[in-house]
Amino acid sequence: MTETPTGTGETAVLVLEDGRRYEGRAYGSRGRTLGEAVFATGMTGYQETLTDPSYAGQIVMMTAPHIGITGMNDEDMESARIWVAGFIVRDPSRVVSNFRSQRSLDDDLASAGVVGISGIDTRALTRHLRSAGAMRAGIFSGDDALLTAGEQLDLVQGGAGMIGANLSADVSTAEPYTIDAEGERIGSVAVLDLGVKTSTLGYLAERGFDVHVVPQTITAEEVLALEPDALFFSNGPGDPAASDRHVELLRSTLREGLPYFGICFGNQLLGRALGFGTYKLPFGHRGINQPVLDKATGRVEITAHNHGFAVDAPIDRVSDSTEGFGRVEVSHYGLNDDVVEGLNCLDIPAFSVQYHPESAAGPHDANYLFDRFRDMVIANTGANTATEGSNE
């Protein structure tokens, strides 16, 4: 059990764009950070949250009151670094007590340059964000805590918002790389890295795919030149309405008959590719305890979410794609607010979900979707083989 330096007594302040201020203690790195203030409702999994590239540009508040007791380790990293713009907790743990821990959360935040704040009333802040919506915010500590309230508010209000933000270039890999299939190989999948999580790539490899991870700058022609058996669009940050190029890439590959699976941002881009719009949710879904209904089975799944945008599609009927891709149904929707949580194409091999079936750090109710993807690719490959054989 290791003592951590949490709770120095140094002043920090959280400032929201509507002028609300929350004074607390400096946590992690000292200085100034700006971003969109959001809350995550998971009781556990803070390391996976911090290292999820989908949180780029966001100041994340944990609604669970006590954070940090299990420390940090290398095994649970969902990417190579911490991505959150800032971090808010009520009571940081004074000790690290877990056999898997390699260092403290406070140490990792400080070394990564993540400015945080602790000791504020996170319940009050959650209620405010639920009522007023996610908004621009800033955390100020060290010398920046000495700025006047007016100066701090001006900095926050001058910061960039999430609507219209295209952040794919910030989180995507610069160079392509490949992860070999595990066990029996069934084919290859091109993964467009829009902020992909490590566990997602592992689950695809476990299903027998050679996983070709490609940068977000790739073209449809370059994707097809890889001759993949399927295409996957990952999770990621930003506004799907600002990713026209990725939407056109997807439309081109769908027209070539390439099977497709997308999660989170990849679900929103499939929605746009099919002709649906997207919109910003008031405060989003973030956490590992979100109830979703699978319309095909009637089963309620508890799922991991991290999204502030959603697809605008009817959940009560089958629709026709305005882009010529046939019939589309909403396969899943959120039970808290009826938000679209999955799309299923009935005439082409493509589906997607808004939540995170890789389930890091849990739960695992939706892990079967990787098996569904595998089965779809096998069926499509078999159909193509049969067609080719009949033409000989």
Side-chain angles (χ1 to χ4, degrees), residues 37-54:
V38 300
F39 59 87
T41 58
M43 294 289 288
T44 60
Y46 59 81
Q47 178 167 339
E48 289 85 351
T49 294
L50 289 166
T51 58
D52 179 353
S54 298

Side-chain angles (χ1 to χ4, degrees), residues 4-257:
T4 74
T6 296
T8 61
E10 296 179 45
T11 298
V13 60
L14 169 70
V15 180
L16 303 183
E17 68 173 287
D18 64 0
R20 291 216 178 190
R21 299 170 58 86
Y22 299 82
E23 293 189 3
R25 299 183 298 274
Y27 184 49
S29 186
R30 307 302 190 259
R32 172 201 314 172
T33 189
L34 303 175
E36 182 185 50
V38 300
F39 59 87
T41 58
M43 294 289 288
T44 60
Y46 59 81
Q47 178 167 339
E48 289 85 351
T49 294
L50 289 166
T51 58
D52 179 353
S54 298
Y55 281 110
Q58 294 180 318
I59 297 174
V60 178
M61 178 189 66
M62 305 300 294
T63 59
H66 190 60
I67 299 296
I69 194 167
T70 55
M72 300 283 281
N73 62 63
D74 294 332
E75 184 178 347
D76 294 337
M77 299 284 287
E78 283 300 315
S79 65
R81 51 166 285 192
I82 294 175
W83 283 101
V84 301
F87 199 47
I88 306 168
V89 300
R90 177 182 168 182
D91 296 321
S93 179
R94 293 172 295 174
V95 298
V96 174
S97 180
N98 187 275
F99 73 99
R100 298 175 65 242
S101 176
Q102 295 171 276
R103 54 199 174 270
S104 74
L105 170 57
D106 187 80
D107 287 342
D108 268 19
L109 292 172
S111 63
V114 177
V115 177
I117 185 172
S118 67
I120 71 168
D121 187 344
T122 53
R123 294 173 300 179
L125 178 57
T126 300
R127 289 173 65 89
H128 182 60
L129 293 178
R130 285 186 72 245
S131 299
M135 65 183 73
R136 290 173 295 179
I139 301 175
F140 303 88
S141 62
D143 291 341
D144 287 280
L146 303 178
L147 295 171
T148 67
E151 290 172 327
Q152 293 169 344
L153 182 59
D154 287 343
L155 287 168
V156 170
Q157 293 178 339
M162 196 57 67
I163 294 178
N166 188 333
L167 303 177
S168 299
D170 297 340
V171 298
S172 182
T173 181
E175 299 293 336
Y177 60 95
T178 298
I179 300 173
D180 293 334
E182 299 179 18
E184 179 184 358
R185 182 185 183 278
I186 67 161
S188 64
V189 58
V191 174
L192 186 68
D193 180 6
L194 300 169
V196 72
K197 296 168 72 174
T198 299
S199 53
T200 299
L201 302 177
Y203 283 130
L204 290 170
E206 287 176 7
R207 267 63 178 188
F209 290 106
D210 286 334
V211 182
H212 301 300
V213 185
V214 298
Q216 60 91 28
T217 53
I218 199 169
T219 65
E221 292 74 20
E222 290 169 334
V223 169
L224 295 172
L226 296 172
E227 298 185 347
D229 296 293
L231 177 64
F232 178 92
F233 275 19
S234 79
N235 58 288
D239 184 348
S243 291
D244 291 344
R245 187 169 55 80
H246 299 134
V247 172
E248 290 304 320
L249 186 159
L250 181 52
R251 285 174 178 157
S252 296
T253 52
L254 289 176
R255 290 186 178 112
E256 293 294 326

Side-chain angles (χ1 to χ4, degrees), residues 301-316:
E301 302 169 4
I302 304 302
T303 57
H305 289 219
N306 174 18
H307 66 107
F309 293 85
V311 176
D312 186 8
I315 66 173
D316 58 348

